[in-house]
Amino acid sequence: MQAVPCIGTATAGRCALQALPWVALCVLAASPALAAEELPAGSPEATPPHPCDKYAPRGMSARTWAKLRAQGVRVKIGVREPSTDGRAIVDVEGIAYTSAPAALVARVLQDYGAYAKFLPRVLKSEARKDSGGFRVRMEVDTPFPVRDLVTETHNVHERCADDRWLILWTQAGGDLPDNRGVTSIYRAPGGGTIVRQRAVVSTRLGLPHEV
């Protein structure tokens, strides 16, 4: 995996944005996230954890941290067995490092209307306030023979007490049957920012086993 070249703080923030879900954009023309966990059966009184607790940063070994700093971005994409109706379900997990401060990275990631200016394959992007969050719509250029896709998600922002930012989204319309996930933005050890994304996206077009 190649390193992500970042020069200057503004450019670095955009580097973090380009490095993660947008691998999925290139693969499936979609940007994804994880659904809230279901409550255990027989415990309707249980309270789901707050997103700031549920998506707390994971520990990272010194070796993994050194690799991330050297590479800039690491992405893992897994395609599940096609469903009975021919849909493919794709799991995306990625992590990126940028020298930009976390507040700047969060601001860039939350500026949905600017995505089309610097994200590969995004033709149009727009957002409006909607039910405690934002309704985000994107038109994405996809390779032949797949027609261009429209994705619509409901995005919610969380600012956690320890200077972490979360962006959680769920499917709200568009061409994909499912599109949901979470992006975590937090300070890296020694400075800079780590951006981690976990996502699930389903397509109506089945993918070959080789993909």
Side-chain angles (χ1 to χ4, degrees), residues 20-108:
L20 283 171
W22 323 118
V23 172
L25 279 173
C26 294
V27 175
L28 293 173
S31 68
L34 291 182
E37 294 177 358
E38 295 182 359
L39 296 178
S43 57
E45 72 285 354
T47 301
H50 189 277
C52 287
D53 298 323
K54 180 178 179 181
Y55 299 112
R58 302 175 184 174
M60 188 182 301
S61 69
R63 183 177 180 181
T64 301
W65 171 230
K67 283 185 177 181
L68 180 61
R69 285 188 67 108
Q71 295 176 340
V73 59
R74 299 174 64 191
V75 178
K76 179 180 179 181
I77 298 177
V79 180
R80 303 183 197 175
E81 288 294 321
S83 60
T84 55
D85 58 3
R87 293 185 300 170
I89 301 174
V90 180
D91 299 292
V92 180
E93 183 169 357
I95 184 169
Y97 168 78
T98 172
S99 59
L104 173 60
V105 175
R107 189 162 67 246
V108 171

Side-chain angles (χ1 to χ4, degrees), residues 12 65 69 96-103 105 163 165 185-195:
W65 171 230
R69 285 188 67 108
Y97 168 78
T98 172
S99 59
V105 175
D163 283 335
W165 287 260
I185 305 157
Y186 52 96
R187 288 178 295 181
T193 302
I194 292 174
V195 183

Side-chain angles (χ1 to χ4, degrees), residues 2-210:
Q2 294 182 342
V4 179
C6 293
I7 303 175
T9 54
T11 301
R14 284 171 170 77
C15 258
L17 177 59
Q18 292 173 336
L20 283 171
W22 323 118
V23 172
L25 279 173
C26 294
V27 175
L28 293 173
S31 68
L34 291 182
E37 294 177 358
E38 295 182 359
L39 296 178
S43 57
E45 72 285 354
T47 301
H50 189 277
C52 287
D53 298 323
K54 180 178 179 181
Y55 299 112
R58 302 175 184 174
M60 188 182 301
S61 69
R63 183 177 180 181
T64 301
W65 171 230
K67 283 185 177 181
L68 180 61
R69 285 188 67 108
Q71 295 176 340
V73 59
R74 299 174 64 191
V75 178
K76 179 180 179 181
I77 298 177
V79 180
R80 303 183 197 175
E81 288 294 321
S83 60
T84 55
D85 58 3
R87 293 185 300 170
I89 301 174
V90 180
D91 299 292
V92 180
E93 183 169 357
I95 184 169
Y97 168 78
T98 172
S99 59
L104 173 60
V105 175
R107 189 162 67 246
V108 171
L109 284 165
Q110 294 170 0
D111 186 9
Y112 305 112
Y115 280 15
K117 297 178 181 179
F118 55 87
L119 282 184
R121 296 193 178 278
V122 177
L123 303 174
K124 295 180 181 179
S125 58
E126 58 187 12
R128 58 179 173 83
K129 291 185 177 180
D130 175 45
S131 303
F134 297 87
R135 179 83 170 230
V136 180
R137 184 180 188 276
M138 293 192 294
E139 294 183 22
V140 182
D141 177 30
T142 55
F144 179 83
V146 181
R147 66 179 179 84
D148 293 348
L149 294 179
V150 172
T151 69
E152 291 188 26
T153 56
H154 177 70
N155 292 30
V156 175
H157 302 166
E158 292 282 357
R159 173 73 182 274
C160 303
D162 52 352
D163 283 335
R164 285 185 293 126
W165 287 260
L166 297 176
I167 301 173
L168 304 104
W169 70 95
T170 54
Q171 178 73 11
D175 296 326
L176 297 173
D178 194 12
N179 180 14
R180 48 196 166 88
V182 58
T183 300
S184 302
I185 305 157
Y186 52 96
R187 288 178 295 181
T193 302
I194 292 174
V195 183
R196 185 187 294 270
Q197 185 179 73
R198 299 167 61 197
V200 175
V201 62
S202 175
T203 73
R204 290 190 175 89
L205 180 65
L207 298 178
H209 285 281
E210 293 78 9

